[in-house]
Amino acid sequence: VIIEDEEVSQYKDIPAKFLQWHHRLGHISPKKIQIMACQGMLPSRLAHCQVPLCTSCLFGKATR
C-alpha cells in the first residue's frame, strides 16, 4: 500500500479547487480569481497555481 504525502495530494487538488471557484463565480477570468486570492477573498494557494483549462469556456470561444 502506497500512501501519498498530504502535501503532494494537496498540490494535485489546487487546479481542481481553482476550477471549482471558476464555476461558482460564473466563469470569471482566471486573472480575476488570482487577484481575489492575492487580496484574501479566496484561498491564497490559488494566487500562484497553474491555471487549468475550462472546457465550457473553450467551447464558448470556439468559432466555426
Side-chain angles (χ1 to χ4, degrees):
V1 176
I2 299 173
I3 300 173
E4 292 186 34
D5 292 332
E6 288 183 20
E7 293 178 13
V8 174
S9 63
Q10 184 180 9
Y11 179 75
K12 291 179 182 177
D13 288 340
I14 294 174
K17 289 290 182 187
F18 194 97
L19 272 180
Q20 184 179 20
W21 278 106
H22 175 70
H23 291 210
R24 276 188 191 174
L25 297 173
H27 295 270
I28 66 171
S29 71
K31 188 70 174 174
K32 287 184 183 179
I33 293 175
Q34 290 176 334
I35 290 171
M36 291 173 71
C38 286
Q39 293 176 347
M41 299 168 134
L42 297 176
S44 61
R45 63 181 180 228
L46 299 178
H48 303 290
C49 76
Q50 184 179 2
V51 177
L53 294 176
C54 174
T55 54
S56 299
C57 290
L58 290 176
F59 183 74
K61 289 180 186 178
T63 60
R64 189 172 183 218

